[in-house]
């Protein structure tokens, strides 16, 4: 039976902290995106991350400035906002990975 309420296919990968960090560190095209608010970002982030607030009205236009040849490793506090950001990225043809569990899942 056809389900009209079926969600759109997910074109990004959810990764646990260890896998996310390993793939990020081993990809020459990796870009780390922190999609939390500027306040959360300034309180502490993963070294080398760029801040691009997914809740900002500028988020969609900021996506247009990103390099489609790169792979985006995306995180937030819990993994929810970064999941949404990954879906938006993948909808526009970007390769995206979500850090399941958020910034706290990043191995120290």
């Amino acid at each position: 039976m056809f389900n009209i309420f079926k969600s759109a296919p997910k074109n990004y990968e959810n990764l646990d902290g260890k896998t996310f960090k390993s793939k990020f560190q081993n990809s020459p095209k990796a870009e780390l995106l922190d999609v939390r608010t500027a306040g959360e970002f300034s309180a502490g982030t993963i070294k080398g991350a760029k801040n691009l607030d997914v809740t900002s009205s500028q988020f969609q236009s900021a996506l247009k400035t990103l390099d489609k040849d790169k792979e985006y490793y995306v995180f937030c506090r819990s993994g929810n906002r970064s999941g949404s950001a990954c879906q938006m990225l993948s909808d526009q043809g970007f390769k995206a990975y979500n850090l399941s569990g958020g910034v706290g899942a990043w191995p120290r």
Side-chain angles (χ1 to χ4, degrees):
M1 181 164 162
F2 184 71
N3 180 357
I4 59 169
F5 298 108
K6 190 169 183 272
S7 61
K10 186 169 64 74
N11 297 316
Y12 65 90
E13 279 183 74
N14 285 308
L15 303 174
D16 64 82
K18 210 171 182 170
T19 307
F20 183 94
K21 185 175 185 178
S22 171
K23 277 184 84 105
F24 169 71
Q25 290 176 329
N26 292 302
S27 170
K29 300 186 293 183
E31 190 79 42
L32 196 55
L33 290 182
D34 183 336
V35 296
R36 299 175 301 161
T37 64
E40 288 173 296
F41 180 77
S42 65
T45 190
I46 299 170
K47 189 178 187 305
K50 271 201 238 176
N51 186 215
L52 193 58
D53 181 356
V54 71
T55 63
S56 154
S57 58
Q58 279 82 44
F59 186 77
Q60 286 289 346
S61 57
L63 292 185
K64 293 175 176 61
T65 69
L66 298 178
D67 185 345
K68 282 215 163 94
D69 291 332
K70 292 196 181 284
E71 294 176 348
Y72 292 91
Y73 289 78
V74 188
F75 67 94
C76 64
R77 187 183 52 78
S78 68
N80 289 332
R81 286 175 285 175
S82 53
S84 299
C86 282
Q87 187 62 56
M88 288 183 241
L89 282 159
S90 64
D91 286 349
Q92 294 190 27
F94 293 97
K95 183 80 179 140
Y97 299 96
N98 182 33
L99 177 53
S100 290
V103 68
W106 179 264
R108 300 276 168 225

